[in-house]
Amino acid sequence: MRLSRYFLPVLKETPAEAQIASHRLMLRAGMIKQASAGIYSWLPLGFKVLKKIEAIVHEEQIRAGHIPMLMPTLQSADLWRESGRYDDYGEEMLRITDRHGRDMLYGPTNEELITDIFRTHINSYKDLPLTLYHIQWKFRDEIRPRFGVMRGREFYMKDGYNFDIDRDAAIHAYNRHMVSYLRTYERMGLKAIPMRADSGPIGGDDTHEFLVLAETGESEVFYDSAILDLTLGERKVNYDDRAECAAIVKEWTTPYARTDETHDESAYAQVPEARRKSSRGIEVGQIFYFGTKYSEPMGATVTNDKGARVPVHMGSHGIGVSRLAGAIIEASHDENGIIWPEGVTPFHCGIVNLKQGDAEADGACAKLYKALCDKGLEPLYDDREERAGAKFATMDLIGLPWRITVGPRGLKNGVVELTCRRTGESEDLTPEAAVARVAEIYAPHGPSPTPHWEPMAKSSFHTWL
């Protein structure tokens, strides 16, 4: 993309309403624009990041054997009355009456709707296990929406739901989700810590939140610093292997890590003093096992191997896709702007032409642009008639991880300058070597191949998108 043809409404001044780094930088970088309190339009740069995050979530869910679908934003109140949550959920639920006088709601979550889908189509234990998920806009009518996309009213979220014949099978689904989430966050350049948490209005006794450490986090957290050394890396995981998934979960949940709601001082005191840490954390996901909380009142049952009807065991599992855009910025920025991890950057590399209009510089930039595109990369070429300082400031603000600077002086020596946004370090390379280096950097961040194994359902599976 040539910047002269792109819509990138960057702001020089920080809007008065922006209180935290992610809100400030998303507005200044032209990623979002407020439509009304807690509701935002995602402008082209922000939309690209949102879709990068969504793609990673899809890939890791499918890798774990989960099946994508799509449910509507509006739901019937009757389903929520069946579960008993319609009156209990509180004022955060946006309630609507349609022209026929039917009570509707803008879904804050989808346990009731997915349970209704399940009970309509699944009757036998032979169709289990089954995990369905979707990524959809949600709405919760926050009393004080603030912090931009971090605490908005409308948000984009992945929520998944598992259906299993008994508790043991459902706990495997829980473990499978924890492992898939750990891999998802790592691919986004985040260290997200699973912490024992409170289940809130979802319900259930088993639940973990995933929190990214940041000064602006809404939760106080307590943890054993040993957990920061854990990583999945390139480890291959067989998601059908219950023992393997359980072992990874044990590895990540044995070190003490809890939110303030579940903090246990006596257990925390057992952690060596040097490793006892407290901080603020941003919640970016949560997983729940709640057994038959919804299946019993809503009649979601199957026939077991003895011919008896039994309620299925369920869990739900969410990732805040739009919130992650803000969380990544909170964890990765400096005084000059955003620093995108390679896995989610909107453009792989920026090209800065120091002398726009100079035939040699223009030609070199055009060749770099084409060479990067031929490698399957997306460069952003700043071809505007602007001074060099303004071009560098824009690139720093929008946070592209790598920048290639092209100027007459370097071209006389046959080189361009490749700069790392995170470290600020630069090196002079030939244009061909710069392209090869950028391609090499991004090789590990390409999309995962679509898994060839069957998902957890026994039935056939369509390839998503």
Side-chain angles (χ1 to χ4, degrees), residues 233-457:
E234 297 302 314
R235 193 184 318 185
K236 295 186 183 299
V237 179
N238 179 358
Y239 283 101
D240 289 328
D241 188 325
R242 292 191 182 189
E244 183 178 356
C245 290
I248 295 173
V249 169
K250 183 177 181 181
E251 178 185 358
W252 282 81
T253 57
T254 297
Y256 187 91
R258 296 199 176 198
T259 59
D260 51 359
E261 295 99 333
T262 60
H263 180 49
D264 183 339
E265 279 291 350
S266 61
Y268 187 54
Q270 303 303 311
V271 178
E273 186 174 359
R275 300 200 326 240
R276 286 181 221 153
K277 304 293 180 183
S278 63
S279 181
R280 308 295 298 180
I282 300 169
E283 182 194 344
V284 291
Q286 190 164 2
I287 58 177
F288 303 84
Y289 163 68
F290 41 68
T292 59
K293 174 181 170 65
Y294 297 92
S295 58
E296 282 190 350
M298 296 187 68
T301 63
V302 295
T303 302
N304 66 14
D305 58 353
K306 296 179 175 59
R309 299 294 296 186
V310 295
V312 293
H313 286 247
M314 294 174 58
S316 67
H317 318 275
I319 286 182
V321 176
S322 55
R323 170 177 269 239
L324 271 166
I328 291 168
I329 294 171
E330 289 294 330
S332 186
H333 70 275
D334 62 17
E335 65 276 8
N336 295 319
I338 302 164
I339 305 173
W340 290 116
E342 280 83 357
V344 296
T345 181
F347 294 95
H348 298 107
C349 180
I351 301 172
V352 171
N353 189 340
L354 294 181
K355 195 171 183 181
Q356 196 69 39
D358 177 84
E360 187 179 12
D362 290 354
C365 288
K367 289 180 180 178
L368 277 169
Y369 184 86
K370 182 179 186 303
L372 288 164
C373 291
D374 289 346
K375 293 284 189 181
L377 300 172
E378 284 189 280
L380 180 64
Y381 173 22
D382 192 343
D383 59 342
R384 299 172 299 162
E385 296 285 350
E386 281 278 2
R387 58 186 177 83
K391 292 187 175 186
F392 290 144
T394 296
M395 286 293 174
D396 283 348
L397 175 61
I398 66 176
L400 306 187
W402 297 90
R403 184 186 76 227
I404 299 176
T405 304
V406 180
R409 183 181 301 176
L411 290 175
K412 286 180 181 178
N413 297 318
V415 298
V416 295
E417 184 182 67
L418 179 63
T419 302
C420 174
R421 172 70 178 88
R422 185 170 299 279
T423 66
E425 296 176 356
S426 298
E427 59 179 324
D428 290 338
L429 298 168
T430 65
E432 296 78 13
V435 170
R437 177 74 179 114
V438 173
E440 179 186 15
I441 289 166
Y442 283 101
H445 299 281
S448 303
T450 302
H452 296 294
W453 55 77
E454 280 294 302
M456 303 310 294

Side-chain angles (χ1 to χ4, degrees), residues 69-72 79 111-122 132 163 298:
M69 60 177 296
L70 185 64
M71 289 176 277
L79 287 174
E111 282 81 8
E112 285 79 4
L113 194 56
I114 196 70
T115 304
D116 182 55
I117 292 169
F118 177 89
R119 70 184 179 183
T120 302
H121 298 288
I122 303 296
L132 303 170
F163 301 88
M298 296 187 68

Side-chain angles (χ1 to χ4, degrees), residues 28-297:
R28 287 199 56 218
M31 293 180 64
I32 58 173
K33 183 184 184 301
Q34 181 171 296
S36 60
I39 301 174
Y40 292 86
S41 296
W42 288 75
L43 306 183
L45 192 75
F47 185 63
K48 281 182 72 67
V49 171
L50 190 69
K51 301 309 284 186
K52 289 285 186 76
I53 293 170
E54 180 183 5
I56 291 174
V57 173
H58 269 304
E59 289 168 13
E60 293 305 326
Q61 286 301 294
I62 291 170
R63 188 202 296 264
H66 307 156
I67 304 174
M69 60 177 296
L70 185 64
M71 289 176 277
T73 56
L74 296 182
Q75 302 178 32
S76 168
D78 291 341
L79 287 174
W80 286 65
R81 290 190 176 107
E82 277 191 62
S83 71
R85 283 206 302 174
Y86 185 69
D87 295 319
D88 293 343
Y89 202 89
E91 294 184 355
E92 286 188 354
M93 180 189 289
L94 181 62
R95 293 166 170 84
I96 305 164
T97 303
D98 70 12
R99 66 169 62 191
H100 300 291
R102 291 176 294 223
D103 291 331
M104 308 289 288
L105 57 99
Y106 193 134
T109 184
N110 283 73
E111 282 81 8
E112 285 79 4
L113 194 56
I114 196 70
T115 304
D116 182 55
I117 292 169
F118 177 89
R119 70 184 179 183
T120 302
H121 298 288
I122 303 296
N123 288 297
S124 171
Y125 76 98
K126 295 179 181 180
D127 294 317
L128 303 180
L130 177 66
T131 296
L132 303 170
Y133 80 93
H134 75 157
I135 299 178
Q136 178 62 289
W137 291 100
K138 303 275 194 295
F139 189 91
R140 291 176 189 162
D141 201 3
E142 294 277 355
I143 189 170
R144 286 187 301 275
R146 58 193 187 278
F147 305 152
V149 301
M150 297 290 291
R151 193 70 181 255
R153 293 193 295 164
E154 186 182 54
F155 53 96
Y156 203 43
M157 181 177 173
K158 172 262 162 180
D159 46 318
Y161 304 90
N162 66 281
F163 301 88
D164 291 277
I165 190 62
D166 55 28
R167 186 181 189 280
D168 286 346
I171 290 299
H172 173 53
Y174 186 95
N175 293 343
R176 198 171 63 241
H177 276 86
M178 182 176 290
V179 176
S180 70
Y181 279 21
L182 291 171
R183 190 184 296 281
T184 297
Y185 298 128
E186 281 191 15
R187 286 187 59 189
M188 296 177 190
L190 289 173
K191 174 66 75 172
I193 304 172
M195 298 192 177
R196 178 67 65 179
D198 181 69
S199 62
I202 302 294
D205 297 325
D206 292 278
T207 180
H208 281 84
E209 287 181 4
F210 294 80
L211 290 106
V212 174
L213 302 180
E215 294 179 359
T216 51
E218 67 269 59
S219 302
E220 186 176 11
V221 298
F222 303 84
Y223 62 96
D224 179 343
S225 63
I227 201 169
L228 299 178
D229 297 326
L230 298 178
T231 180
L232 282 178
E234 297 302 314
R235 193 184 318 185
K236 295 186 183 299
V237 179
N238 179 358
Y239 283 101
D240 289 328
D241 188 325
R242 292 191 182 189
E244 183 178 356
C245 290
I248 295 173
V249 169
K250 183 177 181 181
E251 178 185 358
W252 282 81
T253 57
T254 297
Y256 187 91
R258 296 199 176 198
T259 59
D260 51 359
E261 295 99 333
T262 60
H263 180 49
D264 183 339
E265 279 291 350
S266 61
Y268 187 54
Q270 303 303 311
V271 178
E273 186 174 359
R275 300 200 326 240
R276 286 181 221 153
K277 304 293 180 183
S278 63
S279 181
R280 308 295 298 180
I282 300 169
E283 182 194 344
V284 291
Q286 190 164 2
I287 58 177
F288 303 84
Y289 163 68
F290 41 68
T292 59
K293 174 181 170 65
Y294 297 92
S295 58
E296 282 190 350

